[in-house]
Amino acid sequence: MRQLLLFISIIFVGLLFIARLFYLQVYQDHTDNLYEDNAIRKVYDYPKRGFVYDRNGNLLVSNQPSYDVMVIPREVKPLDTLEFCSLLKIDKEQFIKTFQKAYRYSPRLPYVFLPQLSKEDYAVLQEKMRKFEGFYIQKRSLRHYETSIGANVLGDIGEVNQRIMNKNPYYKMGDLIGMQGIEASYEEILRGVKGIKFIQKDRFNRNIGPYKNGKFDTLPESGKDIKITIDATLQAYGEILMQNKRGGIIAIEPSTGEILSMVAAPTYNPNLLVGRDRSKNFTKLYNDSIAKPLFNRSLQGVYEPGSPFKLMNALVALQEGVISTDEKITCYAGYKYGNRFMKCHCRVGTRNDMVHGIQESCNAYFATVYRRILDKPENASVGIDNWSKHVKSFGLGNFLNNDLYVGQKGRIPDRDYYKGIYPKTFYSTYTISNAIGQGEVATTPIQLANMISAIANRGYYFTPHIIKEIKDEKVPNNFTTPKYTTIEKQHFEPVIEGMLNVYKYGTASHLQIPDIEICGKTGTVENFVKIDSVKTQLTDHSIFVAFAPKNNPKIAIAVFVENGYWGGRFAGRIASLMIEKYIKGYITRKDMENWLLTHSLENEYAKPYSGEPFNINAKTTLQVIPPEESNILKKEIAKLE
């Protein structure tokens, strides 16, 4: 019996050895298991992130070396913490706090103890790292923004959090990811693919060399370079013009949908969100709840479009056949409906056809047109759905499905929207404010720019996008396929003629640019906010949309300036100068440029917080910028010429 037990024991032990050898030689010969093996250290090799160029090949974003101090908590041996803290320029309290955080994350996995050392700090620390077991330095690329412009376009990169890691297992603690702008939109293209080295450790936890002679190691794949549609010079010019103002500018090339400029004001230098001060600077920008520099007004700002929306109602009216271009409508300094009266700046008895209605921005004309559209079917409930369908075909009231990281749908109401307010009866007079781009209609600056692109193209648009070229890849078909509106081509010409007259004889006649035929539309929108729970009216918003030249247009633009008084005062000047800068490359209307550089709206933005009474739209309160400050802006512009 004893001999049998001995025999069985020998056989059992032999089987155990065979199983272990099989595990080591066969099963463990897979990289999936290497990640779980405590006897193997994983060292990631981070790739070079792709460069970013503007449409003209100017380098906007490159890389700079960065050095992270890493820690594997269970490998840390007793050390001189005072010396270590002195080298890292941190205090002992921060050392303890970070080490405990690393230990809670994992005693055996690498953790970023201190990110983004400078080259100078790295040089000093590297010589003494051998004294601090369990700590090592990991090199990676950090972004370097070669420009001070386009923060809302370029975005930034930051460290991943647990939510991101749970969603995408590619990312590990300490990895960097695009957080905003194109850095986020094109993260997978720009980031490349990490490489990895597997290092065998002995029973004393010491590195003894590459596991299986590096059989499973992989090399990093560099990120791809991209070229974006932005014109860096035009972008810089727009940001200078928007100094001391709040709002957004979107300029689009109508023939392609490429975004030429995307200005959000106020803005900031993108290099503020690079390096060890990123967290501090981001917190400061984030906590600025008044100016909101992180809020991309050109994409996320939702505003009533005002008079530029009258162009939509003119086109829908022509398509629905409820008015001809020659029919004249009498304006009595406004439009009366029921016991209400919508004011208009036209003189009593003025008779406007469509071209002159657009030229003079006549409220009475467009109120009449809007009511006819809604009242054409058997009832206004059907009429407003037809109207909504036409308007939405211009990309309004929904996301544009572009490659921009943020956006808003805006709002184009239909019958379902109004059922909560008017569940049974519904008449065209209930929503008459929609006729002049107020009421329930709401758009973003990029939607307005896209709308103008569709008008410039006489009935179609390309989805606005920021990508122009990707190395070894094609631009997505979605951006190169035209989207057609529901309006027939022939209906655009009278509307465009009216827009041309706005510049020649109408509300933008003082904004003309020599040798360029500009078609535009001014807009002024009432501005209400709540102050101490009381609805209070502030200075009106300034809006302007335009494209140029009239034939074969090269640029379509929408400008929105908060509290900018009226369309032609701030937004119109900015739009006209942006058009001239892009088409000519230089500025002839220096009078308009100087006016913008010497006038500020900061006092308008301070009104709600002053605690003092104020008058809205008061010309006398317009703030003049001190000469020393305006001269700095003029010097910045001189650099662009």
Side-chain angles (χ1 to χ4, degrees):
M1 185 64 180
R2 290 181 179 178
Q3 290 180 341
L4 180 62
L5 287 174
L6 179 63
F7 178 75
I8 292 172
S9 298
I10 292 171
I11 294 296
F12 180 73
V13 171
L15 289 173
L16 285 178
F17 274 107
I18 291 170
R20 179 61 178 168
L21 286 171
F22 177 82
Y23 173 79
L24 292 174
Q25 297 296 323
V26 180
Y27 180 75
Q28 200 179 31
D29 240 18
H30 297 280
T31 54
D32 289 346
N33 304 301
L34 298 181
Y35 286 96
E36 305 299 325
D37 195 329
N38 293 339
I40 297 172
R41 179 184 170 201
K42 279 70 67 178
V43 178
Y44 289 103
D45 193 356
Y46 288 91
K48 176 180 75 71
R49 199 169 175 90
F51 286 9
V52 180
Y53 299 86
D54 86 334
R55 68 186 296 108
N56 300 313
N58 298 307
L59 181 61
L60 299 178
V61 188
S62 61
N63 298 309
Q64 58 181 317
S66 171
Y67 308 91
D68 296 343
V69 178
M70 308 295 292
V71 63
I72 301 175
R74 76 173 190 175
E75 296 182 9
V76 174
K77 299 294 189 293
L79 72 155
D80 185 340
T81 54
L82 291 179
E83 181 185 9
F84 192 59
C85 289
S86 176
L87 290 169
L88 297 184
K89 299 178 181 178
I90 61 175
D91 55 34
K92 189 173 181 180
E93 184 181 350
Q94 184 180 345
F95 175 92
I96 295 171
K97 183 179 178 181
T98 306
F99 186 83
Q100 290 174 342
K101 191 175 180 181
Y103 198 91
R104 286 195 300 270
Y105 169 69
S106 173
R108 59 184 178 82
L109 293 179
Y111 184 88
V112 180
F113 188 83
L114 190 68
Q116 302 169 10
L117 289 180
S118 67
K119 287 184 287 187
E120 294 77 16
D121 290 341
Y122 164 72
V124 174
L125 184 62
Q126 185 186 32
E127 297 178 356
K128 300 186 178 183
M129 281 302 292
R130 58 183 176 76
K131 298 169 61 177
F132 309 110
E133 290 188 47
F135 292 90
Y136 66 95
I137 295 176
Q138 179 174 268
K139 183 180 178 181
R140 72 168 86 197
S141 290
L142 197 63
R143 277 318 213 190
H144 177 64
Y145 296 96
E146 306 280 348
T147 178
S148 61
I149 65 165
N152 63 309
V153 178
L154 302 174
D156 63 281
I157 60 174
E159 193 171 327
V160 297
N161 54 31
Q162 192 62 50
R163 178 182 59 81
I164 294 173
M165 290 189 290
N166 292 341
K167 187 177 180 181
N168 190 338
Y170 171 86
Y171 296 101
K172 307 298 179 186
M173 181 64 72
D175 283 1
L176 301 176
I177 188 173
M179 291 292 189
Q180 303 177 85
I182 59 170
E183 295 280 19
S185 297
Y186 288 93
E187 162 67 14
E188 293 188 8
I189 289 171
L190 289 168
R191 80 180 181 199
V193 179
K194 288 181 293 190
I196 189 169
K197 295 178 182 178
F198 297 97
I199 308 298
Q200 182 71 59
K201 297 188 290 186
D202 63 14
R203 63 192 183 93
F204 298 107
N205 216 29
R206 296 175 300 194
N207 295 339
I208 58 176
Y211 175 72
K212 289 191 178 296
N213 295 317
K215 177 182 177 181
F216 298 106
D217 295 354
T218 60
L219 293 173
E221 296 178 22
S222 295
K224 294 182 178 180
D225 297 345
I226 65 173
K227 181 181 284 188
I228 62 174
T229 62
I230 293 294
D231 183 310
T233 300
L234 188 67
Q235 178 76 18
Y237 188 62
E239 291 189 10
I240 293 171
L241 295 181
M242 287 293 289
Q243 286 285 330
N244 303 298
K245 306 163 191 72
R246 297 178 191 169
I249 304 173
I250 292 282
I252 297 174
E253 184 177 63
S255 61
T256 61
E258 294 179 355
I259 298 173
L260 304 172
S261 178
M262 184 169 71
V263 176
T267 186
Y268 56 93
N269 188 322
N271 284 296
L272 287 175
L273 299 185
V274 176
R276 289 175 65 177
D277 289 333
R278 181 190 185 279
S279 179
K280 178 182 69 176
N281 291 335
F282 179 85
T283 300
K284 184 178 179 180
L285 293 169
Y286 181 82
N287 288 335
D288 187 352
S289 59
I290 297 176
K292 299 179 181 178
L294 293 177
F295 181 64
N296 193 336
R297 288 170 168 85
S298 57
L299 302 179
Q300 296 173 285
V302 180
Y303 311 95
E304 293 177 349
S307 291
F309 192 76
K310 293 172 180 175
L311 304 173
M312 286 287 92
N313 286 322
L315 290 166
V316 175
L318 291 174
Q319 182 66 34
E320 289 293 317
V322 298
I323 197 168
S324 69
T325 57
D326 298 327
E327 181 182 350
K328 293 185 177 181
I329 293 173
T330 304
C331 178
Y332 297 96
Y335 181 80
K336 186 176 182 181
Y337 56 105
N339 60 354
R340 297 187 178 184
F341 189 76
M342 178 189 292
K343 292 181 180 180
C344 181
H345 59 263
C346 290
R347 290 179 298 177
V348 175
T350 301
R351 289 177 58 77
N352 289 313
D353 59 14
M354 180 166 287
V355 171
H356 287 87
I358 295 171
Q359 173 186 316
E360 301 301 328
S361 198
C362 178
N363 287 347
Y365 181 91
F366 287 99
T368 302
V369 162
Y370 177 77
R371 287 195 63 185
R372 288 187 185 180
I373 296 169
L374 267 61
D375 292 336
K376 179 187 175 184
E378 61 272 17
N379 62 67
S381 294
V382 176
I384 196 167
D385 281 341
N386 291 339
W387 170 85
S388 181
K389 177 194 70 173
H390 287 304
V391 174
K392 287 178 179 177
S393 74
F394 284 77
L396 302 178
N398 211 334
F399 294 109
L400 289 168
N401 295 319
N402 52 33
D403 57 347
L404 302 170
Y405 189 61
V406 294
Q408 293 288 341
K409 291 178 67 173
R411 183 174 57 249
I412 300 298
D414 53 16
R415 182 66 184 104
D416 285 340
Y417 177 85
Y418 287 113
K419 279 184 177 177
I421 308 171
Y422 310 113
K424 296 181 180 180
T425 58
F426 182 78
Y427 298 103
S428 57
T429 53
Y430 290 180
T431 61
I432 200 72
S433 292
N434 292 341
I436 59 172
Q438 297 192 31
E440 288 71 49
V441 175
T443 60
T444 62
I446 192 171
Q447 288 176 330
L448 283 181
N450 186 63
M451 178 189 84
I452 295 304
S453 290
I455 294 174
N457 290 333
R458 279 72 169 172
Y460 66 91
Y461 66 90
F462 294 91
T463 300
H465 56 281
I466 203 76
I467 193 69
K468 188 170 179 67
E469 292 178 14
I470 303 173
K471 188 177 181 180
D472 302 325
E473 290 190 27
K474 288 185 176 181
V475 173
N477 289 334
N478 178 47
F479 302 147
T480 58
T481 305
K483 282 78 175 173
Y484 289 88
T485 70
T486 58
I487 309 299
E488 295 172 10
K489 184 176 181 179
Q490 67 269 20
H491 297 315
F492 286 88
E493 291 308 325
V495 172
I496 290 172
E497 194 64 30
M499 295 174 68
L500 182 64
N501 280 5
V502 168
Y503 260 95
K504 284 185 174 181
Y505 318 110
T507 52
S509 58
H510 62 296
L511 305 176
Q512 294 180 33
I513 300 295
D515 304 320
I516 302 178
E517 275 195 319
I518 301 177
C519 303
K521 186 72 189 76
T522 55
T524 305
V525 175
E526 291 181 332
N527 175 21
F528 292 92
V529 297
K530 282 191 175 182
I531 301 177
D532 296 331
S533 302
V534 177
K535 185 179 180 181
T536 305
Q537 186 171 11
L538 300 180
T539 300
D540 295 341
H541 295 315
S542 174
I543 308 174
F544 201 88
V545 296
F547 70 86
K550 178 186 176 185
N551 299 312
N552 300 316
K554 300 293 188 295
I555 182 173
I557 191 167
V559 180
F560 195 102
V561 180
E562 295 179 2
N563 306 62
Y565 291 81
W566 58 85
R569 196 173 202 194
F570 279 91
R573 285 182 166 99
I574 292 169
S576 299
L577 290 171
M578 291 284 284
I579 289 171
E580 183 175 33
K581 185 69 174 177
Y582 183 68
I583 293 178
K584 292 182 178 180
Y586 58 89
I587 297 297
T588 60
R589 289 295 307 269
K590 287 291 184 180
D591 57 320
M592 288 201 298
E593 184 181 82
N594 288 332
W595 190 91
L596 287 167
L597 298 181
T598 54
H599 289 84
S600 169
L601 289 170
E602 291 295 343
N603 62 333
E604 291 293 338
Y605 306 133
K607 282 181 179 179
Y609 309 99
S610 66
E612 299 176 1
F614 53 84
N615 297 318
I616 65 165
N617 303 327
K619 297 180 183 179
T620 55
T621 63
L622 193 58
Q623 182 180 353
V624 176
I625 299 174
E628 58 271 19
E629 185 178 339
S630 61
N631 287 336
I632 292 174
L633 299 179
K634 291 174 183 178
K635 289 178 182 178
E636 291 297 316
I637 285 179
K639 294 177 183 178
L640 303 176
E641 297 174 348

